[in-house]
Amino acid sequence: VNIQNNSNSTTAFQVQNAVGTNLFSADTTNNLVRVGQYIAPITTPMTFTDSYTTTPSGTLVNNASYVSGQYVELNNTSNQNGAVDYTPTGLTDFDVSFEFWTSGSADAVYYYAANTSVPITEGAATGGYSMYYSEYNSRIALNFNGTDLATNSTSGFNDSNWHTARIVRSGNNFKIYLDGVQKIDYNDGNRTLIGTHWGIGGRSGGSAGTHRVRNYSLDYDVITPGAAPALTINTVTGQTIAQTGTNST
């Protein structure tokens, strides 16, 4: 008996019980046969905003202070650092933006992601990513755990005007923008991210500088895990891909 569908599908053929639970399914798109129920992961797009027109929902760290109804000032003189820290969960890909205002010659404003603690500098080895805008070094950079992965020579944003930072992570690719202009496009390797600290930081060294931020926005995906079937077999290679107790994500 030859059973052939008109076009391939992930659910081309299914055998179900009386209540609709899959007992057997054939995925002709990926050449898979599944025994038992398979539930695909669900991806839900989410958006978080913190404009700072009201009291920030993040935690102000070290020298950071809130100027009511306007912005967060991360630091305003030499040898200071401050941050607005958040602790979201389950983030992988993200699209973040915020506005920053810088004067003086030191040192940098930065966005940090998945750090194990709040970094007090843009190049701190705190186990995660830092995407920074350094007026001191005239540089925009992507940094991981204290090592610069990609840099771009850019100056002039410490002009006491508001500028827009945007950082996008999709898979292992990072794109970093300043005022809508892409400055970095970098493909990183696979990383194990365990840190729970995300946020915006700023600091100055021996030279005086002021860093302010406002209009923070974070777009991200929340992934609800699916459930694996009892057995999955690749019909081309004959390889057993998953068995009971193996999560499909």
Side-chain angles (χ1 to χ4, degrees):
V1 177
N2 179 33
I3 301 175
Q4 181 177 355
N5 55 343
N6 292 326
S7 60
N8 288 328
S9 168
T10 57
T11 54
F13 305 104
Q14 294 179 308
V15 177
Q16 300 179 339
N17 63 16
V19 296
T21 301
N22 287 334
L23 305 178
F24 174 89
S25 63
D27 176 351
T28 56
T29 298
N30 299 299
N31 297 312
L32 300 176
V33 171
R34 297 186 176 99
V35 179
Q37 188 175 24
Y38 167 71
I39 301 174
I42 299 173
T43 300
T44 305
M46 303 289 287
T47 297
F48 171 79
T49 59
D50 208 2
S51 67
Y52 308 150
T53 55
T54 57
T55 302
S57 60
T59 301
L60 301 184
V61 179
N62 295 337
N63 299 115
S65 62
Y66 176 53
V67 178
S68 182
Q70 298 184 62
Y71 51 78
V72 170
E73 190 163 85
L74 301 171
N75 67 284
N76 60 18
T77 187
S78 59
N79 297 309
Q80 285 190 340
N81 68 85
V84 191
D85 187 59
Y86 303 86
T87 53
T89 57
L91 273 66
T92 52
D93 293 355
F94 58 86
D95 186 339
V96 63
S97 64
F98 60 91
E99 294 180 301
F100 68 93
W101 185 102
T102 300
S103 68
S105 58
D107 250 280
V109 62
Y110 48 95
Y111 184 74
Y112 56 94
N115 281 229
T116 54
S117 60
V118 179
I120 62 173
T121 70
E122 66 276 16
T126 45
Y129 286 102
S130 172
M131 289 64 65
Y132 67 82
Y133 299 77
S134 171
E135 65 269 24
Y136 182 78
N137 291 307
S138 300
R139 177 188 303 159
I140 297 173
L142 169 66
N143 181 288
F144 182 79
N145 197 31
T147 300
D148 284 348
L149 305 177
T151 62
N152 176 276
S153 296
T154 302
S155 61
F157 47 82
N158 56 330
D159 56 359
S160 301
N161 288 306
W162 287 100
H163 296 275
T164 300
R166 183 185 177 206
I167 303 107
V168 180
R169 184 192 186 194
S170 179
N172 290 333
N173 179 259
F174 283 84
K175 291 181 173 63
I176 302 178
Y177 300 82
L178 174 65
D179 294 329
V181 178
Q182 182 178 295
K183 298 294 184 177
I184 287 177
D185 184 349
Y186 180 79
N187 290 311
D188 195 17
N190 293 322
R191 307 273 187 185
T192 300
L193 302 178
I194 60 174
T196 58
H197 292 276
W198 301 63
I200 310 171
R203 66 111 180 178
S204 58
S207 299
T210 299
H211 299 96
R212 300 168 181 167
V213 292
R214 68 183 185 187
N215 292 330
Y216 172 55
S217 177
L218 173 64
D219 293 325
Y220 61 101
D221 291 334
V222 172
I223 300 176
T224 303
L231 179 66
T232 300
I233 299 173
N234 187 306
T235 58
V236 175
T237 65
Q239 179 185 10
T240 299
I241 297 175
Q243 294 179 320
T244 298
T246 302
N247 192 288
S248 60
T249 58

